[in-house]
Amino acid sequence: MKNKNLLYILPLMCFTLTLINSCKKDDISSSLIIGQSYQGGKIAYILQPGDSNYIHNTQHGLIAAPNDHSSDIQWYDKHIYNHIGTTSSKIGTGSANTNTIVNLQGEGTYAAKLCLDLVLNGYDDWYLPSYYELTTLNSNKLKIGNFDPFGYYWSSTENNEYYAWGFDFDLGKNHINLKDGFGKVRAIRSF
């Protein structure tokens, strides 16, 4: 008689364990933390209320590539100062900025193009961070890791025809630099 009851209990136990395991998989996305390895890099920022694309009770944010992609590269390499005119500094705008820059500048070796062409750890949707996306990288640089502590990093945010915004990780300050100056690049992607 005991063996007969066991036949009914085992399938129920398997069904229950399956439900518990599938719930745990779903819960993983709600427990992401800054610095965690995830989708090709390290989580650099988790969207907050007021951020573009924020969804209540759903974690989305930015992933930083695990390493820099260039030690010295120009914001663009055309030697002609073009005014992009439509870049934004907000979180959530780096991808659009990068696309706009590359559409105007075209082929070449420069910061935005380097990020747009990047294929890393199975992902090909990397981009040059906007100014505020870059400041989140600086704020979380110890958790993300592998930044040059004395490095000046480019953002995809233009200041004017001649200058673009960047961030000095040594001084912890933002400042503008001539577009034909040299800086470092750390690509990011959204999740």
Side-chain angles (χ1 to χ4, degrees):
M1 194 73 163
K2 286 183 183 179
N3 289 341
K4 189 176 182 182
N5 287 339
L6 190 58
L7 292 174
Y8 295 109
I9 293 172
L10 283 176
L12 182 59
M13 287 175 54
C14 289
F15 177 74
T16 303
L17 287 174
T18 301
L19 282 177
I20 289 170
N21 285 337
S22 67
C23 290
K24 285 181 182 176
K25 283 181 187 174
D26 292 340
D27 289 345
I28 289 172
S29 67
S30 64
S31 61
L32 299 172
I33 58 171
I34 306 289
Q36 176 181 344
S37 292
Y38 189 68
Q39 294 185 355
K42 297 248 181 136
I43 296 176
Y45 181 75
I46 296 172
L47 294 178
Q48 304 296 311
D51 288 337
S52 178
N53 299 322
Y54 172 79
I55 300 171
H56 182 67
N57 289 332
T58 305
Q59 284 188 308
H60 293 287
L62 305 174
I63 295 171
N67 295 296
D68 294 345
H69 307 294
S70 176
S71 58
D72 286 312
I73 195 167
Q74 294 175 310
W75 199 79
Y76 74 102
D77 71 348
K78 296 292 184 187
H79 305 292
I80 299 169
Y81 287 101
N82 288 323
H83 184 64
I84 307 298
T86 58
T87 63
S88 174
S89 59
K90 295 179 182 178
I91 290 176
T93 61
S95 180
N97 289 351
T98 300
N99 287 320
T100 300
I101 294 164
V102 172
N103 286 337
L104 181 67
Q105 295 293 327
E107 292 302 316
T109 304
Y110 54 97
K113 182 76 166 126
L114 181 69
C115 293
L116 192 66
D117 291 345
L118 183 65
V119 178
L120 180 66
N121 297 328
Y123 294 91
D124 63 357
D125 57 349
W126 300 95
Y127 55 89
L128 187 63
S130 70
Y131 168 72
Y132 283 111
E133 290 167 341
L134 184 61
T135 63
T136 66
L137 297 185
N138 180 68
S139 297
N140 296 313
K141 65 186 173 188
L142 296 179
K143 292 179 181 177
I144 298 165
N146 297 325
F147 286 99
D148 179 347
F150 304 106
Y152 175 81
Y153 287 82
W154 285 118
S155 83
S156 61
T157 305
E158 181 183 54
N159 179 263
N160 61 32
E161 182 178 349
Y162 303 102
Y163 293 92
W165 286 99
F167 205 91
D168 187 323
F169 277 47
D170 178 30
L171 301 176
K173 290 184 174 185
N174 64 337
H175 62 84
I176 57 173
N177 196 4
L178 282 167
K179 292 178 180 178
D180 61 358
F182 291 91
K184 297 181 180 304
V185 171
R186 177 71 66 100
I188 65 171
R189 58 181 301 277
S190 300
F191 72 92

